[in-house]
Amino acid sequence: MERPAAGASYQRFPRVRIRELRDEYAKFELRDTDASVANALRRVMIAEVPTVAIDLVEIEANSSVLTDEFIAHRLGLIPLTSSAAMAMRLSRDCDACDGDGSCEYCSVEFHLAARATDSGQTLEVTAMDLRSTDPKVCPVDQADAAGDHRGILIVKLRCGQELRLRAIARKGIGKDHAKWSPAATVTFMYEPDICINEELMETLTLEEKQSWVESSPTKVFDIDPVTQQVTIVDLEAYTYDDEVIKKAEAMGKPGLVEINAKEDSFVFTVETTGAITAYELIMNAITILRQKLDAIRLQDDDGDLAELDAHLVGG
């Protein structure tokens, strides 16, 4: 095994290109890096970017059909606007309070009071009925309220039934509980590199080309109606299923297509719960990842990393 030359640098400069960006959705390319960095970014987005979620519920009155614990669990899963979460303190680290909720640095208080009085109609209690003491932190449904949208359902009340409660929302991360995860889904795929052997493809009849194109479960290839040549219409629709390769071999045409994954190029798809925007999720994840790397450098006071590097170079 060849050893890297002394003083060799392993530094790389990843590049990002945004393809699509909306409030709750983003698609971007990450290039010039490897899978370890891509997966680290993905895991941080899912489990370590903080948001605010209801963590403590004090039930004052509950005559609904749902138990107190059931309602508390449902409240915890309601996404809250969390743009300010990065600047908030974790309640366990806050030195300005005792964690009871009345603290501007680490928590936000909510109140809910609902009573059904109409004997002929069921009252739906939703996230829209929660009242926050901080206008910056409220249910996502309230921030995006439009038209007849009533928000996430908490409980239904019959005539005479009542629900009153006080709730405390705190900062947290998805690693501690899924209710704090800002990500609905974060995925990445290797960017495929597809090369069609044009000479071999020309030996196929139109019907054989059509059969080969249709063997792909997704719409990756098509046939040009004018030239009758097989073309790639959606590179990223390929799911690494190898069906077109198997089909080519079954037709007696091995090598008809060559498909490889670009090991330094990834396509990310990000969807959020609405607690923060997709842009905030990505940028906060990068910030947290950099903080982790800085912490590793600070821990190298005893020269452990330098000793490891010397071993790799001179070993």
Side-chain angles (χ1 to χ4, degrees), residues 110-170:
F110 287 84
H111 293 272
L112 187 151
R115 183 181 181 86
T117 57
D118 189 343
S119 60
Q121 189 172 3
T122 299
L123 176 65
E124 293 187 351
V125 182
T126 72
M128 302 289 283
D129 297 306
L130 284 168
R131 296 293 171 257
S132 171
T133 57
D134 185 346
K136 296 192 299 295
V137 180
C138 66
V140 170
D141 292 328
Q142 291 182 12
D144 299 333
D148 297 329
H149 182 58
R150 280 286 298 152
I152 297 172
L153 182 65
I154 298 172
V155 67
K156 293 183 179 181
L157 301 179
R158 297 291 297 272
C159 183
Q161 292 180 338
E162 180 183 15
L163 178 63
R164 289 199 322 275
L165 58 86
R166 171 179 175 262
I168 305 301
R170 295 170 176 153

Side-chain angles (χ1 to χ4, degrees), residues 222-267:
D222 203 355
I223 297 177
D224 190 299
V226 179
T227 64
Q228 295 186 348
Q229 289 184 328
V230 175
T231 59
I232 300 172
V233 293
D234 189 354
L235 193 70
E236 288 164 20
Y238 184 67
T239 57
Y240 295 96
D241 48 69
D242 289 344
E243 290 298 324
V244 291
I245 295 175
K246 295 174 185 176
K247 180 64 174 179
E249 292 173 351
M251 297 169 68
K253 303 290 182 179
L256 183 64
V257 64
E258 184 176 342
I259 304 176
N260 297 298
K262 296 181 181 179
E263 295 187 356
D264 65 346
S265 184
F266 311 90
V267 179

Side-chain angles (χ1 to χ4, degrees), residues 13 38 68 91 106 121 140 162 166 175 193 216-218 228 272 287:
F13 298 92
D68 294 354
S91 60
C106 72
Q121 189 172 3
V140 170
E162 180 183 15
R166 171 179 175 262
K175 184 187 290 186
D193 184 14
S216 175
T218 52
Q228 295 186 348
T272 77
T287 298

Side-chain angles (χ1 to χ4, degrees), residues 165-204:
L165 58 86
R166 171 179 175 262
I168 305 301
R170 295 170 176 153
K171 174 182 176 177
I173 59 175
K175 184 187 290 186
D176 295 331
H177 194 288
K179 67 184 178 183
W180 278 300
S181 177
T185 180
V186 180
T187 63
F188 72 84
M189 63 172 287
Y190 288 98
E191 186 175 358
D193 184 14
I194 301 177
C195 182
I196 298 174
N197 187 325
E198 298 293 350
E199 291 185 4
L200 202 55
M201 185 64 73
E202 287 305 310
T203 64
L204 300 181

